[in-house]
Amino acid sequence: MTITDIVLILFVAALLAFALYDEFIMPGRKGPSLLTIPLLRRSRTDGAIFVGLLVILIYNNSINGGATLSMWLLFALALLGVYLFWIRTPKIIFKAQGFFFANVWIEYNRIKEMNLSEDGVLVMQLEQRRLLIRVRNIDDLERIYKVLVKTQ
């Protein structure tokens, strides 16, 4: 096993751990979920570049007669990339004491002010950071409002 294979195994394990945490562990943390809202995705360009580079690596590995283990690890990395960038939907999960946004726990008392932009983006100002929450369905903003009023 080469150093390249070890690095590929580490990347595959890290992406798989993140995918499992995001899908199964995070919704159960910090108590029951009050509301889960799917969000709009950011640009898929980064994902296309990542998967495209992996396809080039797979092609070079097959042309140059590379190791079979490396080929399988690159395929696994490409599949995880496709899942993370195209299949998985980002979401905001509201709990009784706070919410998960971009896999980060934020307590309600950290919110200093909230605004709604003209294009339907909910802007939450924290102490030193601004969260831009872009929901898929504009009606979800009312559901978020009801949860925030109920928990505050």
Side-chain angles (χ1 to χ4, degrees):
M1 186 179 303
T2 64
I3 292 178
T4 304
D5 292 339
I6 293 170
V7 170
L8 286 174
I9 288 172
L10 290 176
F11 281 132
V12 167
L15 284 178
L16 186 61
F18 170 75
L20 291 174
Y21 170 78
D22 184 60
E23 193 65 33
F24 300 111
I25 297 172
M26 189 178 58
R29 290 187 62 211
K30 306 280 185 179
S33 297
L34 301 176
L35 180 64
T36 301
I37 302 289
L39 302 175
L40 285 178
R41 291 183 190 185
R42 293 187 180 179
S43 174
R44 295 182 179 180
T45 307
D46 294 337
I49 292 170
F50 177 72
V51 173
L53 290 173
L54 285 173
V55 168
I56 291 170
L57 287 173
I58 290 169
Y59 175 76
N60 281 339
N61 191 30
S62 65
I63 293 299
N64 295 329
T68 307
L69 178 62
S70 297
M71 181 76 74
W72 282 105
L73 290 172
L74 288 170
F75 272 124
L77 204 55
L79 286 175
L80 282 168
V82 167
Y83 169 75
L84 290 174
F85 292 113
W86 283 291
I87 298 173
R88 179 183 79 82
T89 58
K91 56 189 171 270
I92 185 168
I93 303 172
F94 289 93
K95 306 283 185 160
Q97 302 298 319
F99 60 94
F100 283 103
F101 177 71
N103 296 327
V104 176
W105 173 253
I106 299 166
E107 293 187 4
Y108 293 128
N109 60 9
R110 291 186 55 201
I111 301 172
K112 300 303 177 197
E113 64 181 75
M114 287 192 322
N115 295 313
L116 186 61
S117 71
E118 294 175 5
D119 54 346
V121 176
L122 180 62
V123 181
M124 289 186 183
Q125 181 66 43
L126 304 180
E127 297 93 5
Q128 298 176 1
R129 185 177 172 196
R130 181 179 301 169
L131 303 178
L132 303 175
I133 301 171
R134 295 175 177 88
V135 295
R136 278 189 184 177
N137 186 357
I138 199 74
D139 295 333
D140 289 337
L141 291 172
E142 184 177 341
R143 294 172 53 202
I144 291 173
Y145 172 75
K146 288 179 182 177
V147 166
L148 290 175
V149 167
K150 185 173 77 171
T151 58
Q152 295 294 320

